[in-house]
Structure formats: structure tokens, C-alpha cells
């Protein structure tokens, strides 16, 4: 997807072995539609050549403030603004301990630090993806400098943990390029749900018949995962209760894996007292076998199937909607309806039956497992269609619709 179309990103590299990942990051930024201007420190050029970065970004790379290629000889100004326009962000990846120290002190001895200092601070945000040895990361001086640059307005993207190039294991690895890309895309989303807590259920549930068999459904969980990501991008604190699906957890989202409807209900309950939005996208099984056999059920030779008894699962959404917080509007509940026909009538009926303020209808067979969907929003004011689009686009639109409806 062209998530960064029209965006101009200045990609800064300071010295560190993680520079090898910056080549991949540059490619991902370009693939996402951004134009990328690379600025490197002398130390970064010890780890990866400017030639590689120029080839990937398709633009000359700058290392020195004395670079005479710029007619006014001011690459530190020209990199972030030209005429009335300016860069959408400076992203320094890797940001070394030394570079962060320079930033904290407002030093301008190299082009990259000089450019960061000279940027219009209210127009060109600065994002840092630190990378260093775990001891350097944990050192009080580094932590002090990080706190200072954050106080000065920089956005810290965090670090990964694990085996480091030096052979030690701990915090301080640069985030993977795909994660930095996801964080940058999220950075540009409007912070509509900043400080809110959002609970999302997603995927199918699995109701065991015996240790090897069960009943489930075709829900892929993609819509719910997209909503969790979109909510997180808008600044929300997101808990995603997921049935059995093999989807990657969106960045920054707390995920609780469950299997059965009963487990899903249990995972949802503690969140009800603290969440301000509940989006129920899960395709919860309506029934479960009355008692799951502890041993595999064998054919008995009679040719007859085993007589299974089913009992109804609790309706998680309808139950939450009866909570006093939901009734008072402190917890805004959103239901989903996967239908095969008569979408509007079924969605309206389901909204009334479950007593939720917003019900989102979609045609189940046309969306299960697909990457796109179309949604019909039904609330007290009427209906609104979100036309067919990829699920993340729809999720962002839905989150904006929910944010508009929340009590301030
Ligand atoms: N839901 C729930 N718990 C259940 C069943 C459904 O929380 N036990 C939620 C779903 O997550 C969804 C909404 O209720 O948000 C609609 O679920 P759906 O299964 O489509 O509706 P049903 O109530 O099962 O109605 P029907 O089977 O008649 O379509």
C-alpha cells in the first residue's frame, strides 16, 4: 500500500553496525511511496557506503556541511525546507549513543546534527531509532540524553531486545525496518483516541468436541486486527483478545490469545471496567458441545454418529452492553454483524437486540479471509456506507467514526 505517498522523509544514518538495516529501511520507505533524502555521518559511512544509499534512494547523499553541490552551500537548510514546503519528518536510524548525546547538547559539528538543530522544530518532526550495545543503552548518560531529546520534542521509537552484533544479549538493537516503517506510518495518523483504552475481540472461537476435534468458523481475524492497529495508530492503549488465528500482532498492541468463547469472555471481563471503547469483531461460536470428551471419540461400528449435545455460549457483546459503564456512555460498544443477505434489516435488528449504539454490518461470505471489505454503519442517526477498500483503510475510517461519537 502507498501509505507514505506524497511524504518527503529525510533519512539520517549515524554510526553503528545497524546501518546495514538502513538500506532495507530506505527501500521500504520508497516502496511505501515516500521520497527519501539520505544524510549520513562520517561514522555511518564506515559501516555502509553512500553509494548504496544513493542507489536505493535515487538521490545524492550528503555527509558534509561543506558540500559544494548546493548552490547556496547550505545542505543543512535545504534538506528540510525549500520555498514554502518542508520535509514531513527526519528519521534517524540508526541513532547512535554519540549522536543522541550531540542532539541533547545541541551540537552542530556534523551535517546530520546541524540539520536537526536547524530544522523548523514545529513543522519538521524528528524521530529516532536508537541502536547501540546494551551497556551503552543502559548507561545513565544515555538515558539522561534520551530523556532530554524527548523533552526537546524528538519522538523515540524504542529499541529491540536480543542478540547483539558484539555477542552480548539485551536491549539496544535497532528495531527491524518493517517495525520502524509501521511506527512512522502510525506517527502520521491523527491522534483521535489519545489516552483512550480500546478493547477489540477478533477471529473465530474454537469449541472442543474432544481432544482432536472441534467446531469453529471461517473468520480470519483480519478486520479485528486492522481495527486494533488503527486504534493504536490514533494513540489508544489497545487490548486485542484474539481467537485462534495466525496473524502478527500489530505494533504496540497488547494481545491475549484465547480459544473458546468462554475463554474470550474471561479475557474481556477485566477490561470492561477500564476501557472506553469495545469493538466486538470476533465471530464467537453460538454453541459449544455441552461437555467436551477428554478422550478422542471413536466410531462404535454402528454407523451412527455420536449424539452431541450443544449449549449456547454467552453473548459477550450483549452482556458488556448491559454493564453500567456501557449504559452511561463511558464505554462505547460497537458490534459487528456478518450476514449473508438483507444486510440493513439484519444490522438494524441486531443493533436493537444487542442494545449497542453502533452496529457495523458486512457480508460475511464476501469478506471472510479477504483483504478488503465494505461496511455499513448503523446507529441511532441512520446509516452510513464505507465503500469497498482494504481492511486497514476501512479500520481507520471506522476508528474515526467511533472517535466522533465518543463523549468528550
Ligand atoms: N457476539 C458476541 N458473543 C457471542 C456472539 C456474538 O460478542 N456469543 C458479537 C460478535 O462479536 C458481533 C456481534 O455479536 O459483534 C454479532 O454476532 P453474530 O454472531 O453475527 O450475531 P448473532 O447474535 O449470533 O446472531 P445470528 O446468529 O442470528 O446472526
Amino acid at each position: 500500500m502507498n501509505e507514505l505517498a506524497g511524504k518527503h522523509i529525510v533519512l539520517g544514518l549515524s554510526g553503528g553496525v545497524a546501518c546495514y538495516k538502513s538500506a532495507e529501511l530506505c527501500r521500504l520507505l520508497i516502496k511505501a511511496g515516500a521520497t527519501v533524502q539520505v544524510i549520513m555521518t562520517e561514522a555511518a559511512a564506515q559501516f555502509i557506503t553512500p553509494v548504496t544509499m544513493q542507489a536505493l534512494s535515487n538521490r545524492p547523499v550528503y555527509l558534509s556541511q561543506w558540500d559544494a553541490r548546493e548552490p547556496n552551500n547550505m545542505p543543512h537548510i535545504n534538506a528540510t525546507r525549500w520555498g514554502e514546503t518542508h520535509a514531513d519528518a527526519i528519521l534517524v536510524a540508526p541513532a547512535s549513543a554519540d549522536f543522541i548525546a550531540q542532539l541533547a547538547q545541541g551540537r552542530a559539528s556534523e551535517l546530520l546534527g546541524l540539520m536537526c538543530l536547524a530544522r523548523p522544530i514545529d513543522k519538521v518532526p524528528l524521530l529516532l531509532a536508537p541502536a547501540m550495545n546494551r551497556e551503552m543503552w543502559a548507561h545513565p548518560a544515555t538515558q539522561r540524553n534520551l530523556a532530554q531529546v524527548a523533552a526537546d520534542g524528538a519522538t523515540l521509537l524504542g529499541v529491540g531486545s536480543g542478540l547483539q552484533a558484539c555477542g552480548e544479549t539485551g536491549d539496544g538493537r535497532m528495531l527491524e525496518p518493517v517495525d520502524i516503517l509501521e511506527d512512522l506510518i502510525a506517527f502520521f495518523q491523527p491522534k483521535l483516541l489519545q489516552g483512550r483504552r480500546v478493547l477489540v475481540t477478533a477471529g473465530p472461537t474454537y469449541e472442543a468436541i474432544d481432544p482432536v476435534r472441534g467446531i469453529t468458523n471461517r473468520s480470519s481475524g483480519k478486520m479485528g486486527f486492522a481495527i486494533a492497529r488503527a486504534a493504536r495508530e490514533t494513540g489508544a492503549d489497545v487490548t486485542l483478545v484474539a481467537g485462534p488465528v495466525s496473524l502478527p500482532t500489530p505494533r504496540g498492541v497488547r494481545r491475549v490469545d484465547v480459544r473458546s468463547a468462554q475463554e474470550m469472555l474471561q479475557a474481556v471481563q477485566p477490561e470492561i471496567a477500564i476501557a472506553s471503547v469495545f469493538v466486538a469483531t470476533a465471530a464467537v461460536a453460538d454453541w459449544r458441545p455441552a461437555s467436551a470428551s477428554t478422550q478422542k471419540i471413536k466410531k462404535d461400528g454402528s454407523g451412527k454418529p455420536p449424539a452431541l449435545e450443544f449449549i449456547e455460549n454467552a453473548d459477550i457483546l450483549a452482556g458488556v452492553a448491559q454493564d453500567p459503564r456501557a449504559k452511561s456512555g463511558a464505554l462505547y460498544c460497537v458490534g459487528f454483524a456478518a450476514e449473508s443477505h438483507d444486510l440493513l434489516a439484519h444490522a438494524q435488528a441486531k443493533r436493537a437486540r444487542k442494545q449497542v449504539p453502533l452496529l457495523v454490518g458486512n457480508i460475511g461470505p464476501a469478506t471472510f479471509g479477504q483483504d478488503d471489505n465494505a461496511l455499513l454503519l448503523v446507529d441511532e442517526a441512520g446509516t452510513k456506507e464505507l465503500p469497498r477498500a482494504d481492511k486497514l483503510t476501512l479500520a481507520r475510517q471506522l476508528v474515526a467514526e467511533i472517535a466522533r461519537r465518543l463523549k468528550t
Side-chain angles (χ1 to χ4, degrees):
M1 283 200 298
N2 262 3
E3 296 268 7
L4 295 177
K7 294 272 190 270
H8 184 93
I9 308 298
V10 179
L11 176 60
L13 278 66
S14 57
V17 69
C19 280
Y20 81 92
K21 294 184 187 173
S22 306
E24 177 67 12
L25 175 61
C26 183
R27 283 203 72 215
L28 291 176
L29 294 172
I30 300 260
K31 269 165 83 179
T35 52
V36 179
Q37 173 62 59
V38 176
I39 309 279
M40 298 171 68
T41 63
E42 295 287 345
Q46 296 288 328
F47 291 94
I48 186 170
T49 71
V51 173
T52 300
M53 297 310 293
Q54 176 167 348
L56 291 171
S57 64
N58 199 23
R59 281 170 170 259
V61 170
Y62 288 81
L63 284 89
S64 162
Q65 64 266 48
W66 313 121
D67 195 316
R69 282 175 295 177
E70 293 295 288
N72 62 357
N73 217 310
M74 294 189 196
H76 65 296
I77 302 290
N78 304 347
T80 59
R81 53 201 183 273
W82 45 96
E84 291 301 298
T85 355
H86 54 82
D88 293 285
I90 300 171
L91 168 63
V92 181
S96 67
D98 180 59
F99 180 70
I100 292 165
Q102 285 181 45
L103 276 181
Q105 292 197 344
R107 291 192 175 272
S109 51
E110 266 203 278
L111 175 60
L112 185 57
L114 172 62
M115 178 195 67
C116 291
L117 195 63
R119 82 189 195 279
I121 201 162
D122 52 339
K123 294 198 185 105
V124 182
L126 172 62
L127 291 88
L128 304 174
M132 64 199 73
N133 163 270
R134 67 186 174 111
E135 299 290 359
M136 292 168 80
W137 174 254
H139 197 285
T142 303
Q143 290 302 317
R144 189 171 64 235
N145 291 335
L146 285 163
Q148 185 60 57
V149 295
D152 291 345
T155 297
L156 302 175
L157 299 186
V159 289
S161 192
L163 184 62
Q164 303 198 306
C166 51
E168 297 177 8
T169 302
D171 291 343
R173 284 168 56 110
M174 189 169 86
L175 294 176
E176 294 307 315
V178 283
D179 295 334
I180 296 175
L181 177 72
E182 203 172 311
D183 283 353
L184 182 66
I185 290 168
F187 178 80
F188 289 122
Q189 296 301 318
K191 299 296 170 244
L192 301 171
L193 295 178
Q194 188 73 50
R196 305 263 195 181
R197 255 189 119 98
V198 174
L199 170 66
V200 181
T201 61
T205 64
Y206 176 92
E207 311 298 330
I209 292 171
D210 68 17
V212 296
R213 306 184 187 90
I215 42 173
T216 185
N217 60 64
R218 290 174 52 214
S219 167
S220 66
K222 285 181 181 172
M223 193 69 225
F225 274 61
I227 290 168
R229 173 174 170 176
R232 176 68 198 139
E233 287 177 343
T234 61
D237 184 349
V238 183
T239 299
L240 172 62
V241 178
V245 293
S246 53
L247 293 173
T249 310
R251 274 186 68 67
V253 166
R254 186 173 44 256
R255 173 175 179 168
V256 183
D257 281 318
V258 297
R259 213 159 78 125
S260 66
Q262 284 175 301
E263 284 176 22
M264 186 170 277
L265 177 62
Q266 269 172 21
V268 160
Q269 262 155 356
E271 297 289 326
I272 299 310
I274 41 180
S276 46
V277 178
F278 174 37
V279 188
T281 71
V284 184
D286 289 314
W287 305 282
R288 67 175 181 275
S291 61
S293 168
T294 53
Q295 293 186 339
K296 186 182 171 194
I297 301 171
K298 306 295 278 181
K299 291 191 287 285
D300 63 6
S302 70
K304 285 197 193 128
L308 291 177
E309 249 190 75
F310 289 91
I311 49 177
E312 198 171 306
N313 277 322
D315 190 316
I316 300 170
L317 175 63
V320 172
Q322 293 309 309
D323 186 272
R325 290 191 72 241
K327 289 212 169 275
S328 73
L331 170 62
Y332 190 84
C333 292
V334 183
F336 264 69
E339 307 294 344
S340 60
H341 59 288
D342 292 341
L343 185 55
L344 177 58
H346 280 123
Q348 282 171 330
K350 208 161 276 185
R351 176 174 173 272
R353 184 157 46 84
K354 306 221 177 195
Q355 294 183 35
V356 292
L358 179 62
L359 202 293
V360 182
N362 60 166
I363 296 293
T367 181
F368 282 164
Q370 304 292 314
D371 290 322
D372 62 356
N373 198 359
L375 302 180
L376 179 68
L377 276 50
V378 181
D379 70 1
E380 62 175 0
T383 63
K384 177 165 183 173
E385 276 185 55
L386 301 183
R388 185 155 288 281
D390 65 273
K391 287 182 175 173
L392 184 56
T393 300
L394 286 173
R396 287 185 182 138
Q397 292 170 356
L398 178 60
V399 165
E401 292 286 343
I402 293 169
R404 262 196 321 111
R405 289 165 169 82
L406 292 187
K407 278 192 178 170
T408 46

